[in-house]
Structure formats: structure tokens, C-alpha cells
Amino acid sequence: MTKVHVTTTVNGDTVEFLADPRETLLDCLRDHMGLTGSKEGCGTGDCGACSVELDGTLVCSCLVLGVEAEGKTVSTIEGMANGSELHPLQRKFIEHAALQCGFCTPGILVAARKLLEVNPDPTEEETRYWLAGNLCRCTGYDKIIRAVLDAAAEMRQEVA
Amino acid sequence: MAKDGFETLKLVGTRPNRPDGLDKVTGRARYGADFSLPGMLWGAVVRSPHAHARIVKIDATKAEALDGVKAVITRADFPTGLTGEDWNLQENTMAGEKALYDGHAVAAVAATSKLLAEQAARLIEVTYEVLPHVIDVDAAMAEGAPVIRAGAADATVPEGLHPNVVRYMEFGRGDVDAGFAEADLVMERTYKTEATHQGYIEPHACVSKMGADGKGEMWVCTQGHWYIRKMSAAVLGIEASQLRVTPTEIGGGFGGKTTIFMEPLSLALSKKAGGRPVKIVMSRSEVLRATGPTASASMDVKIGMTKDGKITAARAEFRMQGGAFPGAPVDMALYCCFAGYKLANVHHVGYDVLANRPKCAAYRAPGSPNGAFAVESLVDEMCRKLGLDPVEVRLKNGVTTGDRASYGPKFGSIGLTEVLEAVKAHPQLQAPLGENQGRGFAVGYWFNHNGETSVSMAIGEDGTAQVSVGTPDIGGSRASIALMVAETLGIPYEDVGVNVVETGALGVNEPTHGSRATFASGKAAVEATQAAIKEMCRRAAAEWDIDDEAVEWVNGAAQPAGPNAGKFPPMSIKEIAGKMGQTGGPISGHHESVPDGVGASFGAHVVDLEVDPETGRVTILRYLVVQDAGRAIHPSYVEGQYQGGAAQGIGWALNEEYVYDDKGRLSNTVFLDYRVPVASDLPMIDTVIVEVPNPGHPFGVRGVGETGITPPLPAIANAIHDAVGVRMTHLPINPPKLLAALKAR
Ligand code: FES
Ligand code: FES
């Protein structure tokens, strides 16, 4: 199939790539841009490992076509830290041992960042429901939820 | 709750950040599918849509005609004449005369892009002659069931059984009939568990290349790259030494990534494509259809108990199917099911049965959860009948150090009593329960494992240490090994690096399986470190011109051992390392063995839940895991293992199962339908780490990964009975099933 030229912004950088119109945004990020931080756990929108923000909306990048990124802004796990300074969520995930294999971690971090943006003071239940689309098979979620709530508390303090 | 001589430890038992944490929270860690090579092709696999079918013809003409298709392989590209498990692996990797299950690989193709490879796979035309199939284990051994493979049974199988029964076992001790005669209550029940999948979020992925010289290289997400090397070589008929396998980071395995699936296909495709690297990444539906789920089980248990709760005899007869090949873990299920009980009279019978399903692989304590569901459900039911406390009955019959296990050997140091006492002391047992709420309790067991292990470590010029291990880090083992090495050397945790290295860099290592990484690689790393310490003491002795034996290692430095040895200030590791080039060259240590001293681990879980009588839905309210870790090197990752095991067990108990349609096709091949627990399904999972140190490990480690998946199955069934009075004997206890049982009440 003839490839389509796509220009988009990823983590603040302008990037161009050629996409087969059948390729997902996830494929394009991983295979054309070398951004392999977003993971494919299912390819059907069920696991959240591929979570990214597209123009500020949290999406499963396996359900978005690469060509749909034209002219839009994509933010992925690779852009979450500010240079060498980790986002509080990233720091808290390490401190709380909220990852075992770490495969779900990029998607969960991206999704959790969005949660704290729309709801800086979530309850445990709200956090569990927000992250219900992000599967983790290793942790039983306990430490993930604790890490998110702890990061939220720290971020509220910083704002205050 | 330590009660040992480990009070002086500075690092073991603390919770530092894991060394690979930064890479894993920034997306930089490279997992199986993240690896690529220049000139790489993509592979795709053609899979049988039939549960059981003769392969009449494979026509790849249309696929081969596509521009960009570089290789097509079928079974004809594999060597013949393999036997035993090598043949099983080869047959499972690529079907021969027959497709044996829905999803069985029948051909594979490599092309210049993923989309092209998938398109080419669709163009490969396979003509099948569909054969009758069988899915259920009891149906598979019944008279008239379709024969999956004649002559597959081994010598253990008595005459007269269906040819699908491929292994038979019977063992025990005492006189069970006499034991049942002594009992006040004898009960017998049949239980069933369905097949589940490990459900690791990372699908299998590998990149391989194999040149005309027959030498191959592979990068793969696996729990054990030496296993991948050995098995791939066997299937392809090459020497294992011709293959070099490098493990990537691994996105979960739970036993499912200890064997081969598409790895040999990528090698064979690469060879046929002139040595260009070939990448194969499974889709989720391929993972569910064609990797290694668990066995399913049909189990009869009979137990005799006196009025005061003493078990007088026990009998288990388990039938398990592990797919179209021998290997259902019926032996493990039988060994584990009564392991917590001191039994004079016990008898076990097991059948390993073929069915038209994928070849099962290990899944966290393989077999143990099935057996525990049956036995712990029945013990609970009998306790209720006799008005006895289920924890007290376990204490009364529970095994302690030195007891003979139900399956034969004598237990070394074990901590079941301590686990049960910790359960009794936990406040959850006092939490009030409302209407339709119930509490369930059950015990679980896993042997733990040693396995071939090879570790090396080297002292850097700056006095730090680099450790090379062969057990992939799935859940924090780099951190725990670094803690043990740093503790032994007396240097900061941050000064120890732990690297998981490829097959060319160490002697053979078994996979990270059997809960062995922190036990076996940890023990070997400590031994290797001791060897390096000995050498550092020798260097100091040479400089001081005293006997080697007159030097001891204390707090990261060599020092004279006592006043008679001489008067020298301690010589630090940094000092020794800084001049090692002048004092005899690099300092390193290594250790190779099958480490002895494995310590078994018992655990007990308590679950509080609520049943919605309108829908049959179960909500977990509170969950407690108590387990003997021996010693928790990094307690956070021990807790993580407990919590993760519990969550998987909860999924198995309530919801997860392989669902087949009447044609024998798997119906739930995506995560939407094969639904694993999500964050909103679970509460926080409370843990108590009991520490009864294992004397067979320098820091007391037992291994903690597996036991935790075992108790949830029966604990949940027991809690449901407590809540609504129905006894569920067939997992999963999903809403429709429970609702039907409530209606029939
Ligand atoms: S890979 Fe996109 S949701 Fe699973
Ligand atoms: S840490 Fe392994 S899937 Fe979440």
C-alpha cells in the first residue's frame, strides 16, 4: 500500500515519517520513530500498555492509526521526565516497588499522569477505576495504587 | 518476626530502589519486541483453525509470489527422527501430519515488513481434513473418545485405559481403608478446575539470525535463555553450542516463558532467507491460542476426620489434561495437595491425559493450585460439618520440621506452624461480616527449586562489584542479588551492579523458575563473592607478609585476624582493588553448582468477600496473604510476589478460563474476553512476611514466587460458602454459575 507522509509533534519534537495507512500509531512510534517505550500487550484496546496522549487526550495508541497523528501532538512515556528529573509518578513507582516486570509501567504512568491532571486528589477507588483499563499481571495493583496516591499527595504539596 | 542470628545485617531486609528502575519507568528498558537489527525481516505464523485435523496440503505459491516475501517454512524444513520430549517440542513448534489444536502452527513466512508477512501468511493455503476432537479431560479418557496420538502412552499406563492416557501414577503409604474406618466423618467430592493462562502482558517476541555456517544468534524475552538454546537446537537438529541467546528484559512469564514456541521458527526462517535477521512478535490471540496455558483438572478427594479434627486418611485421584502432549503437572498437583498435613495413611492416583488443546506450560506452582482447590475445599467443608475451627484443624494436622511429607521425603526446616499462628493473630479475623459476606481460609504449598546455576562476579578498580547472573530479572531479583553481594562484601548497595548475561558468558543456568532466582543465583553470588573476598585477603596478606589465614574480611576491608596476626590498619576494598593490577591482576569470583538446601514455603490466605445475590457477582472486600519467606532480602518485592500471586489466584477462582466452542476453537482470544483482574476488581492486598530462615541459604532465603497463587482458589470457594451457603466445586465461580447455584439452593 502506498505510504503516507505524516508530520506530527512527539514529546515536543517535530517528526516526520512514512506510514502505511494500515499501521497503528503504536506501530509508527515503535517501528518508525524508535520510541519503544509504549508497549503492545494486546493490540485491541484492552490492556493500556500502549497508552499515550494525543492532543491531550489519553488514548490507546494501538487503536489510533499512525496517519491520524498528522498535525497533532503526541506525548509518550519517553517525554514524561523533565530531562534527567523524573516525574513524581516515576519516582514514586520506583520507591514503592510498583513495578515487577515493568512492562505495564509506561502505560500506567502515562494514564496516571492524566488522572492527576484532571483529579489531583483522587480517592483509592477513583484511582482504581481510572486505571481499570491498564492491566498489570504482576503486582496485584496494590503498590501501583499506593504509588499513584503518594505521588498525588506530593504533587499537591508542591502546588500548595 | 526474625528469630535468628541475622541481627547484624545492614542491607539485607532493607528496601532500596531497584537498579533497573530508572530504565523501566522511562521506557528505555528493552523488552522482547523492542529489539531490532539492520536488514531485519518480520515473520508471521500460519495457524490451524481446527482443533484436530489432518494436514492434506500446504500451498505457498501465492505467498511466495508476493514481492518482499523472503522465506516460507513448513515442517518439511525441520529434521526428522526426533524422539521423546524433543519430538514433542518440534511437533508443538510446527505441526507435522496433523494439527492438534486450534492455533497450532502449520507454516511460517518471513517478509520485509510486518504487514507484508501477515498478508503472505493469509495467502498460504492449507487443505485440512477435519477430525473429531476432544477438549474436556474426563471426555478425553472416556471410551470412544477420539485418539489424539496412538502410542503416546509411556510404560506407566496400565492396560485397558484409553490411548489418550499417556502417564499414570499411584503412590502413598499406610492403609487408607483402615484410616477411613477410624474416622468419625468420611467425605468424598469431585472438583474441577478449568485451564487458565499466565497472562503476562508482554507477548512472546524474538529476533534471530542464522547464517549458512549454521551459527545462530537470538534476542528473546524468556525466563531462561539456556533452555531456549537447548530446545531450539534440538528442534532444529543443531548443536546447542552453535546458538548464542541473549535475554531481553521480560514482561512477565510466570512459568509460561520457560519453553519455546516461535523461537525456532525465526531461526529456520532466517536461515532460509540467507541469514537476514527475522523478528517474530506474537499477537495476544496467538499468545492465548498457541502458547502454554495451564492444565485443566478433574479431581476426586476423599478424607476421613475424627470428631476432634484429626485426619485419619486421605485419598486423591486427579485427572489432568495438558494439551495434545504429555506433561500435565498431575504429579506436582498430587505432591502438593496434602503437603500441609501429617498423614499416616494417604494414597494418590494420577492420570496425564491428552486433549486437543495447546501444550501446557508451567504456571506459578504448576498443579498446586488445582490440588489445593480440591483438598482445601473438602477440609473446610468437613471442619464446618464437625463445628471445628479451620485454622486449628490445620494446626492440629500440620507438618513441622522433620515430618515426612505426604509425597515421601522428610521436610527440612519449614514454617507452616508459624504461618498459621500469624494468621490467628491477624486483626482481619476479627473484622465484622455483614449479610451475604463471608470469610474463607486455605493453605498452600510449593517445594521451591534449585537447578543448575552459574554466577560470576568481578571487582572493579574502584572497589565496586559487577555480578553476572543467568537468571532473567522478572520482579526485582537484580535488587535482591545486589543486596546480598553488597552485604557480603561490606560495601554500599549502589556499588554492586547485577547484569543478566547471555549464554556465551556463563555456564548453564536453568531459567528463573521454581521460585529459584533469589535462592539459587543469590546463593551462588554469595559463594562467588566469598571467593573474591578470599583473594582480596590473600593480596592483603602478601603485602603485610603474613599468612593468608591470618587475614579476615570485616566491613569491606581486609584486616589482621586478631592481635597475633600482626598490627596493620585495615586495607579497604577500594585500596586493594585500586592496585590489583600490580598485585596479581584482576580479582573475581565465580560459582557453579546445583545449590543444595532448598527450603519449601507454606502460605495461608484469608479472604473476606461479598456475594451479590441478584447477580452472583463476588466482590473481594479484604485479602490477607501470610507466607514463610525464609528471609525477605528486599521485602517490597517479596510482598509484590505475594500480592501478585494472590491476584492471579483470585482471577483463576472467579473468572478466568479457556472457553471452547463446539468445534474446539478457543472462544476467548483477547483480553476483553479472557478477562484478568483489573485494578477496580481488587482491594489492597495485605501481607505478613513470616521469616523462618532456611538453613540451606546463607541469608535464609526460601523462594517466594509460587506458593501465593495456591490458596486463593479454595479460600474464595470457602468464603463463598461462608457467605451464602453454597459449595462451589467447579472453577471459575463466575456470576452465571454462582447465580444458578444460588437459585438451586
Ligand atoms: S496494546 Fe493497546 S490497549 Fe493493549
Ligand atoms: S509489572 Fe508486570 S505487568 Fe505490571
Side-chain angles (χ1 to χ4, degrees):
Chain A
M1 213 169 265
T2 315
K3 295 205 170 172
V4 178
H5 179 267
V6 178
T7 308
T8 183
T9 306
V10 179
N11 301 328
D13 296 332
T14 303
V15 295
E16 295 173 70
F17 58 91
L18 288 177
D20 184 302
R22 297 168 295 178
E23 282 176 317
T24 65
L25 174 58
L26 178 61
D27 290 333
C28 294
L29 288 168
R30 294 178 49 84
D31 298 334
H32 299 325
M33 288 173 251
L35 294 173
T36 55
S38 308
K39 306 299 180 196
E40 178 166 319
C42 67
T44 50
D46 300 318
C47 78
C50 63
S51 299
V52 303
E53 282 188 40
L54 184 64
D55 272 355
T57 303
L58 183 63
V59 296
C60 293
S61 60
C62 71
L63 296 183
V64 177
L65 291 172
V67 294
E68 290 181 80
E70 172 67 36
K72 297 211 166 95
T73 304
V74 183
S75 61
T76 73
I77 184 65
E78 285 91 345
M80 190 157 174
N82 184 5
S84 58
E85 190 195 333
L86 292 181
H87 187 281
L89 277 163
Q90 292 174 307
R91 214 164 8 82
K92 291 296 178 191
F93 265 57
I94 299 177
E95 281 172 29
H96 283 264
L99 51 142
Q100 280 177 35
C101 77
F103 194 79
C104 66
T105 309
I108 291 186
L109 286 168
V110 167
R113 177 179 60 184
K114 192 72 195 171
L115 165 66
L116 301 190
E117 209 177 290
V118 301
N119 180 1
D121 191 6
T123 62
E124 180 192 330
E125 192 176 12
E126 286 167 342
T127 308
R128 287 187 179 277
Y129 275 90
W130 183 275
L131 293 178
N134 289 85
L135 302 182
C136 173
R137 191 58 159 173
C138 298
T139 63
Y141 304 102
D142 183 299
K143 292 182 190 302
I144 291 175
I145 302 298
R146 287 180 204 275
V148 173
L149 294 176
D150 193 18
E154 184 185 294
M155 287 166 71
R156 287 196 304 275
Q157 288 235 307
E158 272 167 17
V159 174
Chain B
M1 46 180 69
K3 45 164 199 180
D4 50 62
F6 289 113
E7 294 79 9
T8 56
L9 294 179
K10 293 196 179 88
L11 295 171
V12 162
T14 63
R15 302 172 185 246
N17 291 343
R18 64 194 280 173
D20 50 336
L22 181 65
D23 278 358
K24 287 180 177 166
V25 299
T26 51
R28 283 203 290 266
R30 290 210 296 179
Y31 293 82
D34 302 341
F35 194 83
S36 293
L37 284 173
M40 189 178 78
L41 304 172
W42 288 79
V45 180
V46 182
R47 298 184 180 279
S48 167
H50 305 295
H52 197 193
R54 192 167 308 287
I55 298 167
V56 179
K57 190 171 157 218
I58 301 175
D59 183 355
T61 324
K62 285 186 192 151
E64 281 164 338
L66 272 188
D67 207 18
V69 171
K70 302 294 178 188
V72 174
I73 55 167
T74 64
R75 182 63 173 274
D77 294 280
F78 288 77
T80 55
L82 274 60
T83 55
E85 186 58 14
D86 288 348
W87 185 86
N88 290 335
L89 287 168
Q90 187 185 53
E91 178 77 4
N92 191 43
T93 300
M94 184 70 92
E97 286 167 19
K98 294 201 293 182
L100 298 168
Y101 55 90
D102 167 38
H104 199 169
V106 296
V109 52
T112 48
S113 79
K114 191 170 156 193
L115 288 167
L116 191 61
E118 285 165 2
Q119 188 190 346
R122 284 192 296 272
L123 288 173
I124 294 176
E125 289 166 2
V126 186
T127 314
Y128 297 97
E129 177 199 333
V130 177
L131 302 169
H133 70 275
V134 63
I135 295 293
D136 177 74
V137 60
D138 291 319
M141 56 194 288
E143 211 184 308
V147 176
I148 291 170
R149 192 165 50 257
D154 72 14
T156 59
V157 181
E159 295 264 326
L161 290 175
H162 191 284
N164 289 341
V165 178
V166 291
R167 222 158 37 108
Y168 176 85
M169 64 211 65
E170 197 173 344
F171 57 94
R173 64 162 170 263
D175 180 343
V176 284
D177 290 328
F180 288 131
E182 284 167 36
D184 297 308
L185 175 67
V186 177
M187 286 185 72
E188 184 168 14
R189 286 243 185 279
T190 299
Y191 302 87
K192 277 191 116 158
T193 56
E194 292 304 325
T196 56
H197 195 275
Q198 298 83 354
Y200 32 80
I201 309 299
E202 180 198 33
H204 298 252
C206 68
V207 178
S208 305
K209 62 190 174 93
M210 191 162 189
D213 59 358
K215 288 200 196 325
E217 251 189 296
M218 189 192 295
W219 293 261
V220 58
C221 55
T222 178
Q223 291 173 248
H225 33 306
W226 277 268
Y227 267 29
I228 296 285
R229 182 177 76 161
K230 179 178 69 180
M231 294 174 180
S232 297
V235 161
L236 296 168
I238 58 173
E239 289 297 329
S241 59
Q242 300 303 295
L243 266 183
R244 182 172 154 198
V245 183
T246 304
T248 64
E249 293 303 324
I250 171 173
F254 314 108
K257 289 180 184 163
T258 54
T259 184
I260 50 167
F261 298 104
M262 75 306 165
E263 292 84 358
L265 305 185
S266 66
L267 283 164
L269 284 167
S270 172
K271 188 162 183 206
K272 206 159 181 182
R276 283 178 73 170
V278 175
K279 178 172 184 167
I280 303 184
V281 180
M282 280 195 177
S283 68
R284 177 54 50 183
S285 76
E286 287 182 290
V287 171
L288 287 166
R289 286 169 71 206
T291 62
T294 65
S296 64
S298 166
M299 302 169 286
D300 305 330
V301 180
K302 183 176 178 182
I303 292 175
M305 202 183 268
T306 62
K307 281 200 292 286
D308 58 353
K310 177 91 195 120
I311 298 179
T312 57
R315 185 179 189 283
E317 181 168 327
F318 291 178
R319 300 162 293 274
M320 293 173 85
Q321 68 72 31
F325 300 89
V330 62
D331 36 10
M332 301 294 168
L334 289 167
Y335 298 158
C336 293
C337 71
F338 294 124
Y341 301 96
K342 207 184 306 192
L343 296 171
N345 307 304
V346 59
H347 195 73
H348 311 77
V349 178
Y351 301 83
D352 180 359
V353 185
L354 303 187
N356 291 111
R357 304 199 193 204
K359 187 180 195 297
C360 78
Y363 179 21
R364 212 166 195 155
S368 189
N370 313 66
F373 172 59
V375 168
E376 295 295 285
S377 290
L378 187 56
V379 170
D380 188 78
E381 191 171 353
M382 295 177 77
C383 290
R384 281 169 196 279
K385 258 222 156 95
L386 293 169
L388 300 168
D389 179 88
V391 183
E392 292 299 340
V393 167
R394 264 67 167 209
L395 270 169
K396 185 173 196 112
N397 295 283
V399 286
T400 55
T401 302
D403 280 343
R404 194 161 284 288
S406 54
Y407 55 93
K410 259 194 179 151
F411 281 116
S413 149
I414 47 169
L416 176 59
T417 311
E418 289 80 351
V419 165
L420 293 169
E421 294 294 348
V423 169
K424 272 168 63 179
H426 196 277
Q428 189 178 321
L429 264 64
Q430 311 316 326
L433 292 167
E435 208 188 337
N436 295 316
Q437 297 186 349
R439 176 167 298 142
F441 162 79
V443 171
Y445 173 71
W446 187 247
F447 319 90
N448 295 329
H449 181 58
N450 47 4
E452 279 183 282
T453 309
S454 168
V455 167
S456 84
M457 66 91 71
I459 305 292
E461 291 102 314
D462 54 356
T464 61
Q466 291 296 324
V467 186
S468 299
V469 300
T471 41
D473 180 355
I474 315 185
S477 58
R478 284 185 184 92
S480 56
I481 290 167
L483 279 168
M484 289 184 274
V485 169
E487 184 82 61
T488 307
L489 278 172
I491 64 175
Y493 163 78
E494 293 73 20
D495 283 0
V496 179
V498 178
N499 308 301
V500 183
V501 299
E502 45 105 353
T503 52
L506 286 175
V508 170
N509 277 276
E510 265 189 33
T512 298
H513 68 169
S515 300
R516 76 177 211 98
T518 302
F519 170 77
S521 280
K523 186 170 179 175
V526 170
E527 299 274 358
T529 304
Q530 298 290 8
I533 286 175
K534 201 166 171 206
E535 177 59 18
M536 289 192 284
C537 288
R538 207 184 61 76
R539 302 277 170 106
E543 186 161 331
W544 293 330
D545 199 16
I546 62 177
D547 278 354
D548 296 358
E549 286 70 43
V551 179
E552 62 181 3
W553 189 262
V554 178
N555 284 335
Q559 67 179 33
N564 296 337
K567 243 181 133 42
F568 303 99
M571 194 183 289
S572 74
I573 185 170
K574 283 201 189 323
E575 199 181 338
I576 297 170
K579 56 189 174 193
M580 64 189 171
Q582 292 84 54
T583 61
I587 296 173
S588 64
H590 57 97
H591 181 81
E592 296 77 22
S593 69
V594 177
D596 54 9
V598 177
S601 181
F602 281 98
H605 293 196
V606 180
V607 56
D608 293 359
L609 54 73
E610 178 167 336
V611 176
D612 179 349
E614 306 277 309
T615 62
R617 184 191 147 97
V618 171
T619 304
I620 308 286
L621 304 171
R622 286 176 286 272
Y623 203 98
L624 169 66
V625 180
V626 181
Q627 190 182 318
D628 177 16
R631 169 160 299 271
I633 302 299
H634 191 306
S636 298
Y637 291 105
V638 173
E639 292 160 3
Q641 289 296 320
Y642 291 3
Q643 292 162 337
Q648 287 185 319
I650 291 168
W652 200 338
L654 289 178
N655 186 65
E656 293 175 40
E657 70 177 309
Y658 266 42
V659 180
Y660 285 91
D661 68 13
D662 58 1
K663 294 199 164 59
R665 291 177 184 161
L666 186 65
S667 302
N668 49 346
T669 64
V670 292
F671 270 142
L672 188 65
D673 302 324
Y674 186 92
R675 191 180 176 286
V676 303
V678 304
S680 54
D681 293 332
L682 298 173
M684 291 298 185
I685 297 172
D686 203 358
T687 57
V688 175
I689 302 174
V690 172
E691 294 188 311
V692 178
N694 169 19
H697 184 279
F699 292 108
V701 167
R702 288 182 186 277
V704 295
E706 285 165 290
T707 303
I709 197 176
T710 299
L713 286 65
I716 286 172
N718 295 344
I720 288 171
H721 182 271
D722 190 46
V724 291
V726 298
R727 184 55 70 177
M728 303 302 287
T729 56
H730 187 171
L731 297 185
I733 310 171
N734 55 31
K737 241 191 241 171
L738 185 50
L739 196 59
L742 287 169
K743 290 219 168 104
R745 191 163 42 162

